[in-house]
Amino acid sequence: MSITIEKVILHKLQMRLKHAFTTSFGTFQDKDFFVVEAIDEKGNIGFGETVAFSSPWYSEETTQTNEHIMKDFLIPLLLKKPIEHPDEVFPRFSSIRKNHMAKSALEGAVWDLYAKRNNMTLAEALGGTKKEIDVGISIGIQPTVKELIEVIGKHVEEGYKRIKVKIKPGWDVDVMREVRNVFPDIPLMVDANSAYTLEDADHLKQLDDLNLMMIEQPLAHDDIFDHAELQRLLKTPICLDESIHSYDDARRAIQLGSAKIINLKIGRVGGLSESVRIHDLCQKNGIEVWCGGMLEAGVGRAHNVALTTLKNFTLPGDTASSSRYWEQDIIDPEVTVTNGIIQVPEKPGIGYDINRQVLEALTVEKTVFNN
Ligand code: OSB
Ligand code: MG
Protein backbone atom coordinates (compact mmCIF):
# COMPACT_ATOMS: atom_id res chain seq x y z
CA MET A 1 0.00 0.00 0.00
CA SER A 2 1.35 3.38 -0.89
CA ILE A 3 2.74 5.71 1.75
CA THR A 4 1.77 9.36 1.76
CA ILE A 5 4.18 11.58 3.65
CA GLU A 6 1.91 14.28 5.08
CA LYS A 7 4.39 16.25 7.06
CA VAL A 8 8.13 16.69 7.51
CA ILE A 9 9.52 18.45 10.57
CA LEU A 10 13.14 19.60 10.70
CA HIS A 11 14.46 19.91 14.23
CA LYS A 12 17.77 21.76 14.25
CA LEU A 13 19.82 20.63 17.22
CA GLN A 14 23.00 21.81 18.84
CA MET A 15 24.94 19.30 20.91
CA ARG A 16 28.32 19.43 22.60
CA LEU A 17 30.62 16.42 22.50
CA LYS A 18 31.90 15.26 25.89
CA HIS A 19 35.43 15.18 24.48
CA ALA A 20 36.82 17.13 21.53
CA PHE A 21 37.60 14.83 18.59
CA THR A 22 40.69 15.61 16.48
CA THR A 23 41.40 14.25 12.99
CA SER A 24 44.10 15.12 10.44
CA PHE A 25 41.79 17.84 9.09
CA GLY A 26 40.46 19.50 12.25
CA THR A 27 38.93 19.32 15.71
CA PHE A 28 35.25 18.77 16.47
CA GLN A 29 33.66 19.93 19.72
CA ASP A 30 30.12 20.97 18.86
CA LYS A 31 27.75 19.29 16.50
CA ASP A 32 24.76 20.99 14.96
CA PHE A 33 22.56 18.89 12.72
CA PHE A 34 18.95 18.11 11.86
CA VAL A 35 16.67 15.45 13.20
CA VAL A 36 14.18 14.78 10.41
CA GLU A 37 10.72 13.70 11.49
CA ALA A 38 8.43 12.33 8.77
CA ILE A 39 4.74 11.65 9.43
CA ASP A 40 2.48 9.59 7.19
CA GLU A 41 -1.30 9.61 6.56
CA LYS A 42 -1.83 7.09 9.36
CA GLY A 43 0.13 9.06 11.93
CA ASN A 44 3.21 6.83 11.86
CA ILE A 45 6.42 8.71 12.57
CA GLY A 46 9.88 8.03 11.18
CA PHE A 47 13.18 9.66 12.12
CA GLY A 48 16.37 10.45 10.23
CA GLU A 49 19.47 12.50 11.06
CA THR A 50 21.79 14.65 8.97
CA VAL A 51 25.44 13.74 9.52
CA ALA A 52 27.29 16.66 7.88
CA PHE A 53 29.40 18.87 10.13
CA SER A 54 29.25 22.64 10.39
CA SER A 55 32.42 23.01 8.30
CA PRO A 56 33.07 21.26 4.97
CA TRP A 57 36.19 19.41 6.21
CA TYR A 58 35.20 15.83 5.72
CA SER A 59 33.19 16.45 2.56
CA GLU A 60 31.68 19.46 0.82
CA GLU A 61 28.36 19.21 2.66
CA THR A 62 27.63 21.21 5.79
CA THR A 63 24.70 21.51 8.18
CA GLN A 64 23.68 24.66 6.33
CA THR A 65 23.86 23.10 2.87
CA ASN A 66 21.84 20.17 4.23
CA GLU A 67 19.18 22.66 5.32
CA HIS A 68 19.14 24.50 2.01
CA ILE A 69 18.96 21.34 -0.09
CA MET A 70 16.31 19.66 2.07
CA LYS A 71 14.07 22.74 2.34
CA ASP A 72 14.32 24.06 -1.18
CA PHE A 73 14.59 20.86 -3.22
CA LEU A 74 14.26 17.51 -1.50
CA ILE A 75 11.30 17.96 0.82
CA PRO A 76 9.07 19.29 -2.00
CA LEU A 77 10.04 16.22 -4.09
CA LEU A 78 9.26 13.88 -1.19
CA LEU A 79 5.87 15.47 -0.47
CA LYS A 80 4.87 15.64 -4.13
CA LYS A 81 3.41 12.14 -4.44
CA PRO A 82 3.12 8.90 -2.46
CA ILE A 83 5.74 6.16 -2.53
CA GLU A 84 5.37 2.39 -2.48
CA HIS A 85 8.74 1.60 -0.94
CA PRO A 86 11.70 3.54 0.56
CA ASP A 87 13.90 2.28 -2.31
CA GLU A 88 12.09 4.88 -4.43
CA VAL A 89 13.31 7.84 -2.39
CA PHE A 90 16.91 8.04 -3.66
CA PRO A 91 15.83 7.77 -7.33
CA ARG A 92 13.11 10.38 -6.63
CA PHE A 93 15.95 12.76 -5.71
CA SER A 94 18.03 11.97 -8.81
CA SER A 95 17.45 15.38 -10.43
CA ILE A 96 19.48 16.85 -7.57
CA ARG A 97 23.22 16.20 -7.84
CA LYS A 98 25.14 14.70 -4.91
CA ASN A 99 24.17 16.22 -1.53
CA HIS A 100 24.04 12.67 -0.24
CA MET A 101 23.86 13.55 3.44
CA ALA A 102 20.80 15.73 2.90
CA LYS A 103 19.14 12.96 0.85
CA SER A 104 20.08 10.28 3.34
CA ALA A 105 18.50 12.01 6.34
CA LEU A 106 15.12 12.20 4.60
CA GLU A 107 15.38 8.70 3.17
CA GLY A 108 16.33 7.36 6.61
CA ALA A 109 13.18 8.85 8.11
CA VAL A 110 11.10 7.17 5.39
CA TRP A 111 12.80 3.81 6.06
CA ASP A 112 12.03 4.07 9.79
CA LEU A 113 8.44 4.99 8.97
CA TYR A 114 8.12 2.11 6.50
CA ALA A 115 9.44 -0.41 9.04
CA LYS A 116 7.02 0.88 11.69
CA ARG A 117 4.05 0.68 9.28
CA ASN A 118 4.94 -2.94 8.65
CA ASN A 119 5.54 -3.66 12.31
CA MET A 120 9.09 -4.79 11.69
CA THR A 121 12.49 -3.63 12.87
CA LEU A 122 14.50 -1.42 10.55
CA ALA A 123 17.14 -4.16 10.58
CA GLU A 124 14.57 -6.69 9.29
CA ALA A 125 13.27 -4.24 6.70
CA LEU A 126 16.81 -3.90 5.35
CA GLY A 127 17.33 -7.65 5.24
CA GLY A 128 19.62 -7.79 8.29
CA THR A 129 19.73 -10.92 10.38
CA LYS A 130 22.24 -10.36 13.19
CA LYS A 131 20.78 -9.99 16.68
CA GLU A 132 23.93 -8.43 18.04
CA ILE A 133 26.74 -6.53 16.40
CA ASP A 134 30.44 -6.15 17.18
CA VAL A 135 31.74 -2.63 17.50
CA GLY A 136 35.07 -0.87 17.75
CA ILE A 137 35.99 2.68 18.60
CA SER A 138 37.74 5.52 16.78
CA ILE A 139 40.24 7.52 18.81
CA GLY A 140 41.16 11.06 17.79
CA ILE A 141 44.65 12.55 17.72
CA GLN A 142 45.79 13.11 21.31
CA PRO A 143 48.17 15.74 22.74
CA THR A 144 50.75 13.10 23.72
CA VAL A 145 51.48 9.42 23.07
CA LYS A 146 51.09 8.79 26.80
CA GLU A 147 47.52 10.10 26.69
CA LEU A 148 46.79 8.09 23.56
CA ILE A 149 47.96 4.91 25.27
CA GLU A 150 45.81 5.70 28.32
CA VAL A 151 42.73 6.29 26.19
CA ILE A 152 43.32 3.09 24.22
CA GLY A 153 43.79 1.13 27.45
CA LYS A 154 40.50 2.39 28.81
CA HIS A 155 38.56 1.35 25.70
CA VAL A 156 40.32 -2.01 25.43
CA GLU A 157 39.25 -2.63 29.01
CA GLU A 158 35.67 -1.69 28.13
CA GLY A 159 35.78 -4.49 25.57
CA TYR A 160 35.70 -2.64 22.23
CA LYS A 161 36.47 -5.16 19.50
CA ARG A 162 39.01 -3.06 17.66
CA ILE A 163 40.81 0.21 18.13
CA LYS A 164 41.13 2.76 15.34
CA VAL A 165 43.73 5.49 15.79
CA LYS A 166 43.68 8.69 13.79
CA ILE A 167 47.03 9.52 12.18
CA LYS A 168 48.56 12.44 10.28
CA PRO A 169 52.08 13.35 9.15
CA GLY A 170 54.17 13.69 12.32
CA TRP A 171 51.74 11.49 14.29
CA ASP A 172 51.95 8.15 12.60
CA VAL A 173 54.64 5.47 12.35
CA ASP A 174 56.53 6.24 15.59
CA VAL A 175 53.30 6.67 17.54
CA MET A 176 51.85 3.43 16.22
CA ARG A 177 55.08 1.54 17.04
CA GLU A 178 54.74 2.63 20.65
CA VAL A 179 51.08 1.69 20.70
CA ARG A 180 51.85 -1.72 19.23
CA ASN A 181 54.57 -2.31 21.84
CA VAL A 182 52.14 -1.64 24.67
CA PHE A 183 49.27 -3.59 23.06
CA PRO A 184 50.92 -6.39 21.05
CA ASP A 185 47.72 -8.33 20.34
CA ILE A 186 44.75 -5.96 20.02
CA PRO A 187 42.91 -5.58 16.69
CA LEU A 188 44.33 -2.22 15.63
CA MET A 189 43.97 0.03 12.60
CA VAL A 190 44.68 3.61 11.55
CA ASP A 191 42.70 6.32 9.72
CA ALA A 192 44.57 9.12 7.91
CA ASN A 193 41.57 11.05 6.55
CA SER A 194 43.43 11.83 3.31
CA ALA A 195 46.55 13.31 4.91
CA TYR A 196 49.11 11.70 2.57
CA THR A 197 50.14 11.45 -1.09
CA LEU A 198 51.79 8.70 -3.10
CA GLU A 199 55.13 10.34 -2.33
CA ASP A 200 54.67 9.12 1.24
CA ALA A 201 54.47 5.48 0.13
CA ASP A 202 57.88 4.52 1.57
CA HIS A 203 57.00 6.17 4.85
CA LEU A 204 53.60 4.45 5.04
CA LYS A 205 55.21 1.13 4.14
CA GLN A 206 56.75 1.09 7.62
CA LEU A 207 53.23 0.48 8.97
CA ASP A 208 53.35 -2.96 7.34
CA ASP A 209 55.41 -4.26 10.28
CA LEU A 210 52.73 -3.42 12.83
CA ASN A 211 50.10 -6.01 11.96
CA LEU A 212 47.35 -3.45 11.39
CA MET A 213 43.93 -4.63 10.22
CA MET A 214 43.89 -1.83 7.66
CA ILE A 215 44.86 1.73 6.85
CA GLU A 216 41.81 3.87 6.18
CA GLN A 217 41.80 6.59 3.50
CA PRO A 218 45.52 7.41 3.34
CA LEU A 219 45.33 9.45 0.10
CA ALA A 220 43.15 12.19 -1.39
CA HIS A 221 39.46 12.33 -0.47
CA ASP A 222 38.47 12.10 -4.13
CA ASP A 223 40.99 9.54 -5.31
CA ILE A 224 40.61 5.91 -6.28
CA PHE A 225 43.53 5.69 -8.75
CA ASP A 226 46.54 6.44 -6.53
CA HIS A 227 45.08 4.22 -3.81
CA ALA A 228 45.32 1.28 -6.23
CA GLU A 229 49.00 2.05 -6.75
CA LEU A 230 49.56 2.36 -3.01
CA GLN A 231 47.72 -0.89 -2.33
CA ARG A 232 50.14 -2.68 -4.67
CA LEU A 233 53.02 -1.35 -2.56
CA LEU A 234 51.54 -2.17 0.86
CA LYS A 235 50.81 -5.45 2.62
CA THR A 236 48.37 -3.74 4.96
CA PRO A 237 44.86 -3.67 3.44
CA ILE A 238 43.62 -0.24 2.38
CA CYS A 239 40.11 0.73 3.45
CA LEU A 240 38.33 3.53 1.59
CA ASP A 241 36.05 6.00 3.37
CA GLU A 242 35.90 9.52 1.84
CA SER A 243 36.43 8.28 -1.73
CA ILE A 244 33.33 6.11 -1.93
CA HIS A 245 30.18 8.15 -2.61
CA SER A 246 28.16 5.69 -4.64
CA TYR A 247 27.64 2.17 -5.93
CA ASP A 248 29.64 3.09 -9.03
CA ASP A 249 32.54 4.47 -6.97
CA ALA A 250 32.62 1.16 -5.10
CA ARG A 251 32.42 -0.84 -8.34
CA ARG A 252 35.29 1.11 -9.87
CA ALA A 253 37.45 0.97 -6.73
CA ILE A 254 36.95 -2.79 -6.53
CA GLN A 255 37.84 -3.23 -10.19
CA LEU A 256 40.96 -1.06 -9.87
CA GLY A 257 42.11 -2.79 -6.68
CA SER A 258 42.05 0.48 -4.74
CA ALA A 259 40.87 -1.13 -1.50
CA LYS A 260 40.30 -4.49 0.14
CA ILE A 261 37.83 -3.09 2.64
CA ILE A 262 35.16 -0.40 2.47
CA ASN A 263 33.93 1.79 5.31
CA LEU A 264 30.23 2.32 4.60
CA LYS A 265 28.67 5.51 5.89
CA ILE A 266 24.97 5.84 5.17
CA GLY A 267 25.07 9.61 4.74
CA ARG A 268 28.09 9.58 2.45
CA VAL A 269 26.45 7.25 -0.09
CA GLY A 270 22.99 8.85 -0.05
CA GLY A 271 21.05 6.56 2.24
CA LEU A 272 20.16 3.06 3.35
CA SER A 273 19.03 1.73 -0.04
CA GLU A 274 22.36 2.66 -1.61
CA SER A 275 24.19 1.27 1.43
CA VAL A 276 22.49 -2.08 0.96
CA ARG A 277 23.36 -2.12 -2.77
CA ILE A 278 27.02 -1.38 -2.02
CA HIS A 279 27.03 -3.99 0.75
CA ASP A 280 25.74 -6.60 -1.70
CA LEU A 281 28.24 -5.62 -4.37
CA CYS A 282 31.11 -5.91 -1.89
CA GLN A 283 29.85 -9.26 -0.68
CA LYS A 284 29.82 -10.60 -4.24
CA ASN A 285 33.38 -9.41 -4.77
CA GLY A 286 34.93 -10.58 -1.52
CA ILE A 287 35.34 -7.04 -0.16
CA GLU A 288 34.64 -6.75 3.56
CA VAL A 289 32.62 -3.82 4.84
CA TRP A 290 32.10 -2.14 8.17
CA CYS A 291 29.92 0.74 9.28
CA GLY A 292 31.68 4.06 9.79
CA GLY A 293 30.58 6.88 12.04
CA MET A 294 30.05 10.63 11.83
CA LEU A 295 29.84 11.37 15.56
CA GLU A 296 26.10 10.81 15.30
CA ALA A 297 23.45 11.45 17.89
CA GLY A 298 21.00 8.67 18.73
CA VAL A 299 18.92 8.63 15.56
CA GLY A 300 21.91 8.32 13.25
CA ARG A 301 23.49 5.83 15.63
CA ALA A 302 20.32 3.69 15.56
CA HIS A 303 20.38 3.67 11.74
CA ASN A 304 24.01 2.50 11.84
CA VAL A 305 23.09 -0.32 14.24
CA ALA A 306 20.29 -1.50 11.94
CA LEU A 307 22.48 -1.44 8.82
CA THR A 308 25.27 -3.33 10.55
CA THR A 309 22.95 -6.35 11.01
CA LEU A 310 23.52 -7.23 7.33
CA LYS A 311 25.75 -10.26 6.80
CA ASN A 312 28.77 -8.74 5.06
CA PHE A 313 29.41 -6.30 7.92
CA THR A 314 32.13 -8.69 8.99
CA LEU A 315 34.40 -6.19 10.73
CA PRO A 316 33.62 -4.13 13.86
CA GLY A 317 32.37 -0.62 13.03
CA ASP A 318 32.78 2.80 14.66
CA THR A 319 29.34 2.82 16.34
CA ALA A 320 30.43 3.22 19.95
CA SER A 321 28.04 3.80 22.86
CA SER A 322 26.02 7.02 23.11
CA SER A 323 27.77 7.81 26.39
CA ARG A 324 31.13 7.91 24.67
CA TYR A 325 29.98 11.05 22.82
CA TRP A 326 27.13 12.68 24.76
CA GLU A 327 26.16 13.60 28.31
CA GLN A 328 22.66 12.70 27.29
CA ASP A 329 21.56 11.28 23.96
CA ILE A 330 18.24 12.04 22.24
CA ILE A 331 17.04 8.42 22.28
CA ASP A 332 15.64 6.23 25.01
CA PRO A 333 17.24 3.87 25.81
CA GLU A 334 20.63 5.12 24.65
CA VAL A 335 22.89 2.90 22.56
CA THR A 336 24.92 0.83 25.01
CA VAL A 337 27.94 -1.37 24.38
CA THR A 338 28.80 -4.34 26.58
CA ASN A 339 32.02 -6.23 25.90
CA GLY A 340 32.16 -4.62 22.47
CA ILE A 341 28.67 -5.80 21.54
CA ILE A 342 25.43 -3.90 20.86
CA GLN A 343 22.19 -5.84 21.24
CA VAL A 344 20.01 -4.94 18.27
CA PRO A 345 16.72 -3.50 19.54
CA GLU A 346 13.54 -5.48 18.88
CA LYS A 347 10.95 -2.73 18.69
CA PRO A 348 9.66 -1.71 15.23
CA GLY A 349 11.62 0.82 13.18
CA ILE A 350 14.90 2.14 14.55
CA GLY A 351 13.95 0.43 17.81
CA TYR A 352 14.76 3.29 20.14
CA ASP A 353 12.24 5.92 21.26
CA ILE A 354 12.95 9.60 20.79
CA ASN A 355 13.44 11.32 24.12
CA ARG A 356 11.18 14.28 23.33
CA GLN A 357 12.23 16.18 26.42
CA VAL A 358 15.91 16.05 25.52
CA LEU A 359 15.11 16.72 21.84
CA GLU A 360 13.18 19.88 22.73
CA ALA A 361 15.86 21.06 25.11
CA LEU A 362 18.55 20.79 22.42
CA THR A 363 16.44 22.25 19.60
CA VAL A 364 17.39 25.71 18.38
CA GLU A 365 14.96 25.87 15.45
CA LYS A 366 12.01 23.86 14.23
CA THR A 367 10.42 24.04 10.78
CA VAL A 368 7.27 22.24 9.65
CA PHE A 369 6.52 21.33 6.02
CA ASN A 370 3.01 20.18 5.11
CA ASN A 371 1.85 18.27 2.10
O1 OSB B 1 36.95 9.36 9.07
O2 OSB B 1 35.66 7.99 10.01
C1 OSB B 1 36.09 9.13 9.91
C2 OSB B 1 34.74 11.34 12.73
C3 OSB B 1 34.47 12.49 12.04
C4 OSB B 1 34.73 12.56 10.69
C5 OSB B 1 35.27 11.45 10.03
C6 OSB B 1 35.55 10.28 10.72
C7 OSB B 1 35.30 10.24 12.10
C8 OSB B 1 35.63 9.08 12.92
C9 OSB B 1 34.82 8.84 14.17
O3 OSB B 1 36.55 8.32 12.69
C10 OSB B 1 33.57 8.08 13.90
C11 OSB B 1 32.63 8.03 15.09
O4 OSB B 1 33.10 7.68 16.19
O5 OSB B 1 31.45 8.34 14.91
MG1 MG C 1 37.48 7.62 8.08
Side-chain angles (χ1 to χ4, degrees):
M1 209 193 70
S2 61
I3 307 168
T4 303
I5 308 291
E6 300 232 300
K7 192 189 282 194
V8 172
I9 305 171
L10 295 184
H11 305 261
K12 185 174 184 185
L13 270 68
Q14 224 152 38
M15 287 175 80
R16 170 150 276 229
L17 289 161
K18 268 186 179 174
H19 310 284
F21 189 88
T22 300
T23 70
S24 63
F25 55 81
T27 296
F28 300 92
Q29 177 64 255
D30 294 292
K31 190 156 189 201
D32 59 337
F33 61 95
F34 290 91
V35 169
V36 175
E37 180 174 358
I39 303 163
D40 71 7
E41 81 286 2
K42 297 177 172 178
N44 291 296
I45 301 177
F47 291 96
E49 181 177 319
T50 61
V51 300
F53 300 106
S54 45
S55 311
W57 288 338
Y58 168 82
S59 75
E60 68 280 13
E61 291 186 82
T62 67
T63 312
Q64 259 191 292
T65 69
N66 285 172
E67 178 173 23
H68 166 49
I69 298 295
M70 288 192 295
K71 275 189 176 169
D72 296 335
F73 302 101
L74 303 177
I75 292 173
L77 285 170
L78 187 62
L79 295 176
K80 201 160 129 186
K81 58 180 202 258
I83 57 158
E84 302 300 321
H85 189 276
D87 280 343
E88 293 165 26
V89 177
F90 187 73
R92 169 89 57 101
F93 294 156
S94 65
S95 57
I96 308 301
R97 300 282 192 243
K98 294 285 289 285
N99 288 287
H100 284 174
M101 294 173 188
K103 291 176 181 177
S104 172
L106 290 164
E107 189 240 29
V110 175
W111 265 108
D112 180 28
L113 184 69
Y114 170 82
K116 285 169 176 160
R117 277 174 82 104
N118 290 286
N119 199 30
M120 63 201 321
T121 65
L122 178 58
E124 287 163 350
L126 295 169
T129 50
K130 292 185 234 165
K131 299 293 175 227
E132 47 181 52
I133 60 169
D134 286 353
V135 290
I137 194 159
S138 173
I139 298 173
I141 291 165
Q142 305 292 314
T144 63
V145 179
K146 183 165 173 282
E147 282 161 272
L148 174 63
I149 286 170
E150 276 168 20
V151 177
I152 294 174
K154 173 172 165 274
H155 295 305
V156 168
E157 215 152 280
E158 287 169 351
Y160 281 100
K161 300 271 185 186
R162 68 101 173 97
I163 300 290
K164 162 167 141 184
V165 175
K166 293 287 192 183
I167 58 168
K168 64 173 184 183
W171 180 268
D172 50 30
V173 176
D174 294 343
V175 172
M176 293 313 294
R177 272 204 194 107
E178 286 194 57
V179 169
R180 207 21 133 193
N181 277 336
V182 178
F183 304 99
D185 301 319
I186 58 168
L188 185 65
M189 60 172 287
V190 292
D191 184 359
N193 289 107
S194 303
Y196 300 91
T197 70
L198 261 187
E199 291 180 10
D200 301 308
D202 285 341
H203 180 68
L204 293 172
K205 191 140 179 53
Q206 300 173 82
L207 293 170
D208 273 350
D209 301 331
L210 299 178
N211 188 27
L212 301 178
M213 298 168 79
M214 68 194 89
I215 171 169
E216 183 176 342
Q217 196 72 35
L219 308 180
H221 67 92
D222 54 358
D223 169 79
I224 55 171
F225 189 81
D226 289 350
H227 279 97
E229 177 69 24
L230 184 65
Q231 183 66 90
R232 283 191 282 277
L233 300 170
L234 295 185
K235 261 193 344 214
T236 309
I238 290 178
C239 168
L240 287 177
D241 172 359
E242 282 91 330
S243 294
I244 306 296
H245 290 272
S246 65
Y247 179 91
D248 283 325
D249 284 347
R251 178 179 60 73
R252 294 179 186 119
I254 292 168
Q255 197 167 345
L256 279 171
S258 318
K260 294 183 175 151
I261 299 168
I262 288 178
N263 163 341
L264 251 175
K265 289 183 182 171
I266 303 166
R268 200 191 61 227
V269 302
L272 285 164
S273 297
E274 288 301 291
S275 296
V276 172
R277 288 180 69 219
I278 296 170
H279 163 276
D280 294 351
L281 174 75
C282 289
Q283 188 164 27
K284 264 194 229 119
N285 287 277
I287 300 290
E288 290 188 277
V289 301
W290 55 275
C291 184
M294 291 287 280
L295 312 173
E296 289 94 343
V299 171
R301 204 159 290 282
H303 282 266
N304 289 345
V305 170
L307 179 66
T308 306
T309 63
L310 271 69
K311 268 212 173 60
N312 195 40
F313 282 86
T314 46
L315 296 164
D318 275 346
T319 309
S321 67
S322 298
S323 65
R324 192 263 168 145
Y325 306 84
W326 316 111
E327 282 306 334
Q328 189 162 29
D329 206 341
I330 57 174
I331 51 169
D332 183 24
E334 299 195 344
V335 173
T336 55
V337 175
T338 311
N339 294 323
I341 292 171
I342 296 174
Q343 299 296 328
V344 179
E346 289 172 357
K347 291 209 294 187
I350 58 173
Y352 301 86
D353 290 332
I354 299 307
N355 187 333
R356 290 278 182 184
Q357 219 177 337
V358 175
L359 184 81
E360 297 293 328
L362 297 170
T363 298
V364 292
E365 196 183 298
K366 181 174 155 180
T367 316
V368 181
F369 302 81
N370 284 297
N371 195 334

